[in-house]
Amino acid sequence: HGIGLAVEHLVNKGRKHILYAQDLFTSSAEEKREGYLCAMAQAGLNPNVQTCEYGLDGGAELIERLIAN
């Protein structure tokens, strides 16, 4: 899965806190989530899945929520 390769790349760059922003409506969202969770487990890292609406507005809203916390 592409998401697994992305996680592997980030881990190889020394990243330890990798968030997955899962949209709620696309057909591939659950498959991507599973790929992320698998890659994080293989790397021995704790996953962080956050849900958001699909698109730029949904992503921006998620970032605002994360910054506020």
Side-chain angles (χ1 to χ4, degrees), residues 43-68:
L45 299 175
N46 293 322
N48 182 359
V49 176
Q50 300 288 324
T51 57
C52 63
E53 297 291 325
Y54 178 76
L56 293 176
D57 290 341
E61 212 172 90
L62 174 59
I63 290 169
E64 288 174 10
R65 277 196 328 241
L66 292 170
I67 290 171

Side-chain angles (χ1 to χ4, degrees), residues 1-9 11 18 20 22 29-49:
H1 294 104
I3 191 81
L5 293 173
V7 169
E8 183 180 339
H9 172 76
V11 169
I18 304 168
Y20 175 60
Q22 179 180 349
E30 189 60 31
E31 183 179 336
K32 290 175 185 174
R33 179 182 174 273
E34 291 303 317
Y36 164 82
L37 292 174
C38 181
M40 292 294 283
Q42 287 177 350
L45 299 175
N46 293 322
N48 182 359
V49 176

